[in-house]
Every structure is written in structure tokens, then in C-alpha cells.
């Protein structure tokens, strides 16, 4: 049986750590389309995140140099068994790929094997420059003749450039529309955005139009889905003491907004879509 490989792509402060912990809590205590079929071998990192949330405060972010694989043995609601490898790494590694144009062997292997990419973008943290030409001139150097850091790039340009690098390393041609790897984009911390009645795809197009257009030009429509994600449902701080999380349990907090705009408490739905479980 083929073992599905999903690659999680998220920069620093993208909500990746909390989503991983909350997903594990859902699978363990409040499953939806997917559930755990066995006890995973080593879930120390996810247990630590869940423990923080159970006490009503935010978890520590994954350190920059971390790379570990978490194996989640899953079963869908039709009895089909899946093994999901969930990579846990510091989000700064994506920025390093972008700035240094180099990919480690661990990343190269994951990119080439992955059946699906799960891309987390926190729009509130993305900087864009409407007057692009003026800003590009101002940001062409840092005053010492060196290239500006990744954090100074327009979010549109940075994500498009990074996706092109990742596709190249994965051996994917951009001549024809891609069917593999499937791409699910999660607009993380969705609760902090003013989205009105827009669909998640429209929210992405409004905030990062070049990223939206690039994705539409590379992937087949059937191989893309755009979701809103609020892994916690609200803002938690490291020193907060949120009674809802303590009293109700983190497994009853957080939600996704489906591509059609409907809110759903099942955080596993984007993964289920990537794995072809409907």
C-alpha cells in the first residue's frame, strides 16, 4: 500500500506549531473525517503543545534548527488506513531556502516524495508594497551594497519565488498544469482578518494577488484548495490563562473555513482533501 506523504510548508510565526498540536488533539479526542488507528511512536513535541493549550496559554515556537518526522497512523471513516508523515521544523528554514537558494537533503527528499503540499500563510504578517517600483528601488540594498533580507521583500514576490524554487527542487515542470503534488493553502489565524463574505480563495487574491495568480497558473483547479484556518479560534499568549481552553479542552476550539465558505470544526478536513478522503 502506498504511504501518503504530506509536506507542511510554513514560515516562522505562521501558526504551524499550534495547528499541529490542535490537529493531534482532534485526532486523539474528537476525530472527524480522520482518526488515529494506533498510538504513534513518539509524539513528544505535539504532546508539549497540547499540554500548553490545555493550560490556556500559547506554546513555544519550534526552534529554527529542528527537523523531526512525526508519524501519524490514520484511518478514514470508510476504514481505509493511511500513514501520515508530519514534518516538524523551524519555519526559519523556509526563509533560509529563499535567501540562500540552497536546499538540504532532508528538504529535497520530502519535496520529491510528497503527494501533497500543505501551505500555511498568515496574511496579517505579510508585507506588501502597492507602489512596487518605488519600494523595489528603496529596498534594492541595505545601504552597504548587500541584498535586502527576505523579510523586506514584498510577500507576493517572496512566496512566488519560493514556490518556484520548491517546484524546481521537487522536479516538477511548470509547462503543464500540475496534478501532483496537490496543494492546500491554509490562511492561518483567519480570526484576525476582516474577510466580510469573501471565500478564502478571494481573501488570498485580495491580499496576495500575484501568489493567487501564480498558483492558479501552475496547478489544475482540481488540485488546489484554499482554506481559512483558525487553529485556536482566538489569540493566546504565552502567559495567558484562557478559561475556555481549560474548561472545554483545546480539542473543542478552533475551526477551518472550507473553500465554499462554510465554517467547520474538523481541523483534519484539509488533510483529508489532500489525501483524497471526502
Amino acid at each position: 500500500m502506498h504511504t501518503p506523504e504530506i509536506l507542511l510548508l510554513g514560515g516562522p510565526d505562521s501558526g504551524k506549531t499550534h495547528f499541529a498540536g490542535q490537529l493531534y488533539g482532534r485526532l486523539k479526542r474528537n476525530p472527524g473525517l480522520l482518526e488515529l488507528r494506533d498510538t504513534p511512536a513518539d509524539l513528544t513535541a505535539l504532546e508539549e503543545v497540547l499540554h500548553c493549550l490545555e493550560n490556556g496559554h500559547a506554546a513555544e515556537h519550534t526552534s529554527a534548527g529542528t527537523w523531526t518526522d512525526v508519524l501519524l497512523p490514520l484511518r478514514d471513516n470508510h476504514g481505509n488506513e493511511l500513514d501520515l508523515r508530519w514534518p516538524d521544523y523551524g519555519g526559519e528554514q523556509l526563509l533560509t531556502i529563499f535567501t540562500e537558494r540552497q536546499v538540504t537533503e532532508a528538504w529535497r527528499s520530502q519535496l520529491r516524495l510528497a503527494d501533497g503540499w500543505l501551505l500555511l500563510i498568515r496574511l496579517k504578517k505579510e508585507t506588501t508594497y502597492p507602489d512596487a517600483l518605488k519600494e523595489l528601488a528603496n529596498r534594492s540594498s541595505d545601504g552597504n551594497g548587500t541584498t535586502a533580507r527576505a523579510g523586506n521583500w514584498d510577500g507576493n514576490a517572496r512566496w512566488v519565488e519560493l514556490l518556484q524554487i520548491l517546484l524546481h527542487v521537487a522536479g516538477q515542470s511548470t509547462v503543464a498544469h500540475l496534478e501532483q503534488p496537490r496543494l492546500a493553502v491554509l490562511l492561518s489565524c483567519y480570526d484576525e482578518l476582516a474577510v466580510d463574505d469573501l471565500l478564502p480563495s478571494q481573501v488570498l487574491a485580495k491580499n496576495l494577488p500575484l501568489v493567487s495568480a501564480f498558483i492558479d497558473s501552475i496547478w489544475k483547479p482540481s488540485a488546489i484548495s484554499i482554506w481559512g484556518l483558525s487553529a485556536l479560534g482566538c489569540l493566546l499568549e504565552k502567559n495567558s490563562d484562557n478559561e475556555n481552553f481549560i474548561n472545554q479542552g483545546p480539542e473543542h476550539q478552533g475551526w477551518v473555513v472550507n473553500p465554499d465558505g462554510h465554517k467547520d470544526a474538523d481541523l483534519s478536513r484539509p488533510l483529508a482533501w489532500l489525501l483524497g478522503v471526502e
Side-chain angles (χ1 to χ4, degrees):
M1 182 178 105
H2 174 65
T3 302
E5 298 277 351
I6 302 300
L7 181 58
L8 177 65
L9 300 169
D13 204 23
S14 63
K16 180 168 57 66
T17 298
H18 283 144
F19 178 52
Q22 281 288 75
L23 176 66
Y24 170 57
R26 285 291 203 282
L27 294 170
K28 182 179 179 182
R29 303 172 182 172
N30 187 25
L33 287 178
L34 301 176
E35 64 179 3
L36 291 171
R37 70 173 190 271
D38 293 308
T39 302
D42 183 9
L43 289 174
T44 303
L46 298 186
E47 289 281 9
E48 290 176 357
V49 175
L50 198 56
H51 177 72
C52 290
L53 298 179
E54 287 171 339
N55 286 280
H57 56 81
E60 295 287 341
H61 294 294
T62 304
S63 60
T66 296
W67 179 286
T68 58
D69 275 332
V70 177
L71 178 61
L72 298 175
L74 305 176
R75 178 172 50 227
D76 67 19
N77 51 13
H78 299 294
N80 299 310
E81 295 186 352
L82 317 160
D83 286 335
L84 174 63
R85 291 192 179 277
W86 185 279
D88 182 33
Y89 59 88
E92 291 81 3
Q93 293 182 34
L94 273 187
L95 296 185
T96 300
I97 290 174
F98 175 80
T99 55
E100 298 184 3
R101 301 299 196 273
Q102 293 182 353
V103 179
T104 66
E105 188 54 41
W107 272 99
R108 187 183 305 277
S109 176
Q110 288 278 351
L111 286 164
R112 289 185 176 274
L113 292 174
D115 299 276
W117 292 1
L118 193 65
L119 174 62
L120 268 70
I121 299 178
R122 187 175 179 181
L123 293 175
K124 196 80 169 181
K125 294 289 185 177
E126 295 295 335
T127 301
T128 58
Y129 301 94
D131 191 351
L133 292 178
K134 178 180 178 181
E135 292 296 340
L136 283 172
N138 291 338
R139 294 181 292 110
S140 60
S141 72
D142 62 7
N144 298 311
T146 56
T147 303
R149 294 181 301 171
N152 294 328
W153 278 60
D154 181 283
N156 285 284
R158 189 182 67 255
W159 276 114
V160 169
E161 180 83 357
L162 180 58
L163 285 170
Q164 289 185 95
I165 293 171
L166 298 179
L167 286 167
H168 174 73
V169 173
Q172 296 292 345
S173 170
T174 57
V175 176
H177 284 94
L178 297 178
E179 293 184 274
Q180 293 284 335
R182 300 185 90 188
L183 176 67
V185 179
L186 303 187
L187 304 180
S188 61
C189 301
Y190 208 64
D191 55 285
E192 68 185 12
L193 301 174
V195 299
D196 301 318
D197 294 324
L198 298 178
L199 299 176
S201 59
Q202 295 170 324
V203 174
L204 177 61
K206 178 181 177 181
N207 288 271
L208 294 176
L210 293 183
V211 176
S212 175
F214 177 78
I215 289 172
D216 287 341
S217 71
I218 298 299
W219 276 269
K220 285 189 174 182
S222 60
I224 311 167
S225 66
I226 315 295
W227 306 68
L229 167 69
S230 178
L232 305 180
C234 65
L235 176 65
L236 286 185
E237 303 287 355
K238 292 179 182 177
N239 58 352
S240 63
D241 188 17
N242 190 301
E243 292 187 1
N244 272 336
F245 274 83
I246 296 172
N247 295 334
Q248 298 182 26
E251 68 272 16
H252 296 290
Q253 309 293 329
W255 37 265
V256 295
V257 175
N258 295 342
D260 61 7
H262 291 92
K263 186 182 288 188
D264 195 315
D266 185 359
L267 297 183
S268 72
R269 281 193 177 273
L271 280 174
W273 178 85
L274 278 175
L275 298 171
V277 178
E278 301 292 345

